[in-house]
Amino acid sequence: MPTRIPVPLTQFVLKMHSRCDLACDHCYVYEHADSSWRTRPRATGDEILAKTAERIGEHAAAHRLTAVRVVLHGGEPLLAGPDRLRRAAEALRAALPPGCALDLRIHTNGVLLSRSFCELFAELGVRVGISLDGDRAANDRHRRFADGRSSHPQVLRAVALLREPSYQHLYAGLLCTIDVENDPVAVYRALAELQPPAVDFLLPHATWDDPPKRPSGRGTTPYADWLLTVHELWEADRRPFAVRTFESVHRTRRGLSSLTESLGLEPSDLAVIETDGSFEQADSLKTAYDGAPATGMDVFRHSLDDLARHPGIAARQSGLAGLSDTCRSCPVVRSCGGGLYAHRYRSHHGSGGFDHPSVYCGDLMKLINGIAGQGSSAPVPAQGGEPVRPSPLDPAHLDQLARGYGDGDTVRALSRAQLALTRAMLAAAWDASGRGRGEAWALLAALDAEAPAAVDAVLAHPYARAWAARRLAGDLSVGLGPLAALAAAAAVRAGRAGLGEAVQVAVPVRGGWLHLPTLGRVAVPDGEAVVTGLADGFRVRAADGSERGELDEPLRRVRLAGGWTVALEDVDPLRDSHDHAVAGRLPAGELLDWTGALREAWELLGRDLPGYAEGLRAGLTTITPLRPGPAGRDVSSAARQAYGAVAIARPSTAPTLALLLAHEFQHVKLGAVLDLYDLYDRADDRLYFAPWRPDPRPLEGLLQGTYAHLAVTEYWGTRTAAYDGLPGDAAERARAQFALWRRYTAEAVERLAGSGALTALGARFADGMRESLTPWLAVPLPAAAERDAERIRVRLQPVEA
């Protein structure tokens, strides 16, 4: 029986032409160890194109892929001509199954790029990447014609074409191979002037047999120094374009996946199809030795499943286990991942092959630690699930949050810090259990090394931290089952994740339901069920020996305008973390009512509260339905240990739902800030009256309420503006509520500022809230609105001691 496939292949490099019109002296195809190009056809034939498309299509269908990326490459792919490129694109699109998107790109030196090629690529949906090493001096160091002429003017002309409005959507970015003798500042500025959507800075291909040049007087890590100079400029310019190397370091330090095969521990899912139809491994292996990328397979005799089982492919899918002893013990291995596989090659020295650190090992170590010092990302989680410390936010993030807002980047920074905190709390709770390594914890740790995206997706669920919070608070009644459920959900999301034939974990079942966080629940008898993650789903073996392979009650999600999706969480047993009673499983009619109300509320938020809507979209992942309040009273809640969730009893109108969403997410944001910073003296035990409550509260209660009512004020302010000059009850109510809440919130800000208990950062928040309120306080209102607000105020006026 054939072995299972560790990881389906989703990225393909299709060689359209095996020759090039430039003579770049750093090219790995023509100038390094491999010479197979000499015997290959110049261009890929139609039969090979058709069979390649068929192979990719059948692979996508077999593995239910939702997208594949194909890069048309060379040599120089434009030498293949427009007709051949058209046939390739059309064959690939026609072969993919329904529901599988094609991300089609071409990578070119740009010399031949013309308006007619751009028209073709616009028609076919082909994005274009250009090789360019910087300014003319930097580019001409290596990228010249065979007769020595500069290619720089032609490349700039190609980029200028892609920057025209008609073709700008085709501009995928620039690829720059580093030469440490080029000025990094000049290179960065020259590339930035071209306004690329992305730049890839590549280390020149090298091995231990043929190491990279290291000019004298530049220290032992010149490549790290060069890249750190660029990184500092990039950060100072507020990241004007994507850089996969830098972003991958930031991501992997937070436990997320890498964006490039040269960093991180993610399994490789790349295959190359040469002009003769042969399957090869990554092109970079051409730098190791002659024939290094070869597999002995081709599109006519072998499927992509066959290729995925090739030992060379498998070696690049084994994560931490596939690295040398030196790499496995390194503190930055989660980010470095051993570096690019080809750069580990050494022909001798004990054992030959790729079981060595990267020839750029010192540079990678310094780069990763240097970016950690320059940037604001969370520290790298240590292997084995050790706790991590949430990182602080940068000043721009804090200034936005102080004013009550927070754009997508700011809220995503909060989310990263919260994920780090969840990891730390889970580790602390597990350590406190005294259970040592344990099956569930060991599986989470293994998956964290091999499939970190699956672990992150589960741990980012709002109620993942609830178990740890309860255990650390001394509530042992929740048992250890929820942690096993988290591990099981991560195993299901990861499939086998390269850990063997299958990954499985035993989960205690109580009340007839096995819950898989972020996925849903399965009806099984009480006892111990074994959950097995499979490549195409999961299997549950119950205590009575029966087996199940599907969810009885999946977690339902609502897709809103703009592609934003939120979960309606009505099955997680830990969703009762809120201080109101949660609703049960929503019946079909109630689910439809929620869906319609959420879609209408989201449109209203985007129109009337854009300053809050962007942060909501970035950070609100889950809405937990509550039971209705007494006498129709609107009920909503946010829980400190459930970042990303708000709980709401569905109100009677969508505008009220919009108000509750904005109000409660303010609590979510501020709670996340308070997890990172002290905004007030926590030793202050005085009680403070909020203008809207009859009972005094601790200072944090006043702070939370004030922050939440910034959004309430703006909500009624925009409603008032919408009703400007119009008569009627709705307009009068909006004006009265606006008058009331702007007054209440302004009083609360001044009470906070005058408490004497705020830290310097807390005072900065008070100033920011005051700044946001000031324009609303200046909005003129009719005297009747102020009188109505005063009547409401007197009726609710607290009695202060």
Side-chain angles (χ1 to χ4, degrees), residues 205-212 214 287-288 324 326-327 338 340-349 351-363:
H205 288 317
T207 67
W208 289 102
D209 290 357
D210 187 13
R214 299 186 183 277
T287 200
S324 68
T326 301
C327 290
L340 192 69
Y341 190 73
H343 296 171
R344 306 174 202 166
Y345 181 73
R346 174 174 269 165
S347 59
H348 298 292
H349 188 71
S351 62
F354 299 90
D355 188 25
H356 304 281
S358 168
V359 72
Y360 290 103
C361 179
D363 290 281

Side-chain angles (χ1 to χ4, degrees), residues 485-509:
L486 290 172
V492 172
R493 284 182 168 274
R496 292 183 316 283
L499 298 176
E501 280 298 300
V503 288
Q504 60 184 34
V505 63
V507 183
V509 178

